[in-house]
């Protein structure tokens, strides 16, 4: 969700500088459950505890701002310290 908010800010900045990008940005995720929650907007018992602020990624995916792609955990550079 934080990644999508940063992306929205950078897109607005690019538009201001007349360098707009219409293609969806790839967001790589190694958690299949997260990918399923982004792509499937239906409410499930196990997902009702998720805070509302984290649902922004669904909105960004629905608007075509991002595409969520699966990446193997060993290849995920964001998780290098975890």
């Amino acid at each position: 969700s934080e990644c999508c908010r940063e992306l929205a800010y950078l897109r607005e900045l690019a538009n201001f500088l007349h360098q707009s990008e219409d293609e969806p940005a790839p967001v790589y995720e190694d958690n299949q459950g997260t990918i399923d929650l982004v792509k499937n907007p239906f409410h499930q018992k196990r997902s009702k505890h998720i805070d509302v602020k984290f649902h922004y990624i669904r909105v960004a995916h629905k608007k075509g701002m991002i595409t969520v792609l699966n990446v193997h955990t060993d290849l995920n550079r964001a998780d290098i310290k975890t």
Side-chain angles (χ1 to χ4, degrees), residues 10 21 25 27 37-38 44 46 48 60 66 71-72 75-76 79:
L10 291 174
E21 179 65 42
V27 174
L37 281 173
V38 169
Q44 300 170 353
R46 289 194 237 167
K48 72 178 182 180
I66 64 164
V71 63
H72 192 273
L75 301 176
N76 192 353
D79 283 345

Side-chain angles (χ1 to χ4, degrees):
S1 185
E2 184 68 28
C3 170
C4 291
R5 287 192 293 265
E6 289 287 328
L7 180 63
Y9 168 76
L10 291 174
R11 282 185 182 252
E12 288 297 319
L13 180 62
N15 284 337
F16 177 75
L17 298 172
H18 305 290
Q19 302 291 326
S20 64
E21 179 65 42
D22 294 332
E23 294 293 316
V27 174
Y28 297 100
E29 177 60 50
D30 62 352
N31 186 323
Q32 189 61 46
T34 302
I35 295 170
D36 292 341
L37 281 173
V38 169
K39 293 182 177 181
N40 183 5
F42 295 107
H43 182 73
Q44 300 170 353
K45 280 186 174 183
R46 289 194 237 167
S47 65
K48 72 178 182 180
H49 71 281
I50 298 172
D51 197 2
V52 174
K53 69 179 180 179
F54 295 114
H55 291 283
Y56 181 74
I57 192 168
R58 283 185 182 171
V59 175
H61 183 264
K62 188 175 180 178
K63 287 183 177 179
M65 213 167 83
I66 64 164
T67 57
V68 182
L69 305 171
N70 192 10
V71 63
H72 192 273
T73 302
D74 296 336
L75 301 176
N76 192 353
R77 293 182 182 181
D79 283 345
I80 199 164
K81 298 275 185 174
T82 60

